[in-house]
Amino acid sequence: MVTLEDIQAARERLRSAIRPTPCPQSDYFTERTECAAVYFKLENLQRTGAFKERGALNKLLTLTEDERRRGVIAASAGNHAQGVAYHARRLGVSATIVMPERTPLIKVSRTRDDYGARVVLKGTNYDEAYAEALRIQKAEDRVFIHPFNDAHVIAGQGTIGLELLEQCPDLEVVLVPIGGGGLISGIACALKETRPGIRVVGVQAETIASMKASMEAGERVLLAAAGTTIADGIAVKRVGDLTFPMVQKYVDEVVAVDEEEIAAAILTLLEQEKSVVEGAGAVGVAALLSGDVPSARGRRTAVILSGGNIDMNVISRIIERGLVKAGRLVQLEVRLPDRPGMLAKLTTQVADLRANVVEIHHERAFSKAGLGEAMVEVTLETTGPAHIEELERALHKLGWQVARK
């Protein structure tokens, strides 16, 4: 089991290459939640956009000369891949990375094009990519760098815990994302061995909560029917045999959040904190906003924003869905007389009520409207639910049928 001394040694190794990330207090989240204070540990500001490079570099720095010559291989959904690739290139070590086929393009391109690793796309999830990496490792005699189930990797991630203790000495609760358990194992060890009173809470995606299931069962559980998640960086079907006993020893609680909560957290961080955070990095915020961590109420709480490598297309979809849920984007279906000037009358009415037309579609032949009628689908930017109701009332007064899509 990794010790506090291992983590302290890792910090000395990493000191010249890994800069401590900020941990500011969030006024917005402190006011919105029932916590005494909320702090965000901004690991999304690392050079590769995630905490993973801490463990990757610590592992690389412990390799022998012979191991460096042979080169390394890793399996990763993206962040571990970038950490290994970036620091392997810095150290002059050949790196091969196996990534699931559905890995966001930004992570694939950065690993291959920006950081110079050979990338192999294989499988639909981490476990299938991992199996392919083991096959290549044996065939090419490379050193395997596991993303979470490795003592040096765990110790490297644990350096975040040491930084937290220095930056926020009065912390009472820390929320940490969990995939395979490497991050939370290291952080929890550093925290609990230094200040046992700190409460450590792990957070997983509900569709693939392998650590939560394992904790409840008292043994490692393989999720045979795991679902998909936008938190792809923590989509692991089975936690590590090194990480699981550490989580059992040091972690107080593991909770799970659903996809809508994760998406809402990403959007809130973007809008309120001006922070780009991927799904895996936002799960702690999702748990805090949804009230899944009652032990954080009235306490000084830190949340690890573990990474920011999110596909821009995903951000676009999350923003649009978030605007719809907030009532700031609405699609109305308006049935009106099929006469000249009616479409202009509709858009004039919308403009008079200070709504903005984003998209409009005018249909006759394929709509459910009767003869002499037309169906118009109009997407509008509004100020919120009350504004939408005002628009609907105004259109109804004109004698038009209006329905929300």
Side-chain angles (χ1 to χ4, degrees):
M1 190 173 289
V2 175
T3 66
L4 178 60
E5 290 72 25
D6 294 328
I7 297 171
Q8 291 169 334
R11 191 177 192 192
E12 291 305 312
R13 281 190 208 100
L14 304 181
R15 195 176 292 277
S16 63
I18 303 290
R19 289 175 293 181
T21 51
C23 191
Q25 181 175 337
S26 167
D27 293 334
Y28 174 83
F29 280 87
T30 298
E31 293 167 3
R32 180 169 174 180
T33 64
E34 298 179 25
C35 301
V38 175
Y39 303 90
F40 289 138
K41 183 62 170 161
L42 303 179
E43 286 296 295
N44 57 322
L45 298 183
Q46 289 287 0
R47 172 65 180 82
T48 59
F51 75 96
K52 286 285 192 177
E53 63 180 83
R54 294 175 182 262
L57 178 55
N58 191 48
K59 177 67 174 182
L60 285 164
L61 291 174
T62 62
L63 297 180
T64 65
E65 285 301 319
D66 176 65
E67 289 172 328
R68 290 193 184 197
R69 179 187 55 77
R70 287 157 48 198
V72 298
I73 186 167
S76 169
N79 289 334
H80 179 63
Q82 292 178 77
V84 171
Y86 173 64
H87 288 289
R89 186 184 65 177
R90 283 183 56 248
L91 298 171
V93 177
S94 168
T96 294
I97 311 295
V98 184
M99 309 175 84
E101 293 167 359
R102 296 179 182 176
T103 299
L105 290 177
I106 186 173
K107 297 181 179 181
V108 175
S109 63
R110 283 182 179 171
T111 303
R112 181 185 57 215
D113 303 330
D114 295 351
Y115 305 140
R118 176 179 61 150
V119 172
V120 177
L121 296 177
K122 184 71 174 181
T124 60
N125 53 47
Y126 165 77
D127 298 276
E128 293 176 7
Y130 173 70
E132 176 65 9
L134 289 181
R135 187 193 68 78
I136 295 174
Q137 183 259 332
K138 292 178 181 177
E140 300 182 3
D141 192 30
R142 290 177 175 265
V143 177
F144 187 81
I145 302 182
H146 201 284
F148 55 83
N149 202 46
D150 181 284
H152 293 298
V153 170
I154 294 169
Q157 324 302 26
T159 59
I160 297 172
L162 298 181
E163 290 177 20
L164 277 174
L165 291 169
E166 295 172 356
Q167 294 169 321
C168 306
D170 57 354
L171 272 183
E172 297 172 282
V173 179
V174 179
L175 275 61
V176 186
I178 298 182
L183 176 63
I184 197 169
S185 295
I187 289 177
C189 175
L191 295 175
K192 290 286 193 176
E193 290 293 340
T194 307
R195 283 186 44 208
I198 293 179
R199 185 172 181 82
V200 180
V201 180
V203 188
Q204 293 201 283
E206 193 173 75
T207 58
I208 188 163
S210 54
M211 185 66 80
K212 188 173 187 293
S214 298
M215 291 287 281
E216 291 170 353
E219 61 181 4
R220 291 195 302 146
V221 172
L222 173 63
L223 299 181
T228 59
T229 176
I230 57 173
D232 56 283
I234 55 174
V236 177
K237 290 184 178 181
R238 190 175 191 181
V239 301
D241 57 2
L242 294 182
T243 62
F244 181 59
M246 292 189 70
V247 171
Q248 285 183 306
K249 179 178 180 179
Y250 292 119
V251 176
D252 298 284
E253 180 184 7
V254 178
V255 300
V257 290
D258 64 33
E259 297 301 292
E260 290 297 326
E261 290 168 337
I262 298 171
I266 293 171
L267 183 59
T268 305
L269 285 164
L270 186 63
E271 188 169 34
Q272 298 297 333
E273 297 296 317
K274 311 302 180 280
S275 289
V276 177
V277 181
E278 63 189 90
V283 293
V285 175
L288 202 60
L289 291 176
S290 62
D292 290 333
V293 192
S295 60
R297 293 170 188 163
R299 295 183 177 180
R300 292 175 292 275
T301 303
V303 185
I304 310 298
L305 303 187
S306 57
N309 293 317
I310 186 169
D311 191 293
M312 292 299 104
N313 292 322
V314 174
I315 287 184
S316 176
R317 292 195 294 270
I318 287 173
I319 290 174
E320 287 185 348
R321 290 186 62 177
L323 290 173
V324 171
K325 290 183 69 174
R328 291 158 58 187
L329 191 67
V330 67
Q331 189 175 78
L332 299 179
E333 192 175 69
V334 185
R335 184 179 299 190
L336 43 73
D338 187 15
R339 297 198 303 267
M342 287 297 100
L343 189 59
K345 189 174 183 179
L346 170 63
T347 55
T348 298
Q349 184 68 59
V350 167
D352 289 344
L353 290 172
R354 307 170 313 283
N356 184 47
V357 176
V358 176
E359 186 176 345
I360 193 165
H361 181 68
H362 186 244
E363 183 61 69
R364 294 184 182 91
F366 297 98
S367 74
K368 297 179 182 179
L371 290 173
E373 293 182 320
M375 190 71 75
V376 178
E377 290 184 359
V378 56
T379 303
L380 305 172
E381 289 179 340
T382 72
T383 60
H387 194 191
I388 296 173
E389 292 175 3
E390 182 184 7
L391 284 161
E392 290 174 327
R393 286 194 299 269
L395 297 178
H396 278 302
K397 283 183 180 180
L398 294 173
W400 299 341
Q401 295 183 38
V402 182
R404 297 188 199 183
K405 291 284 284 185

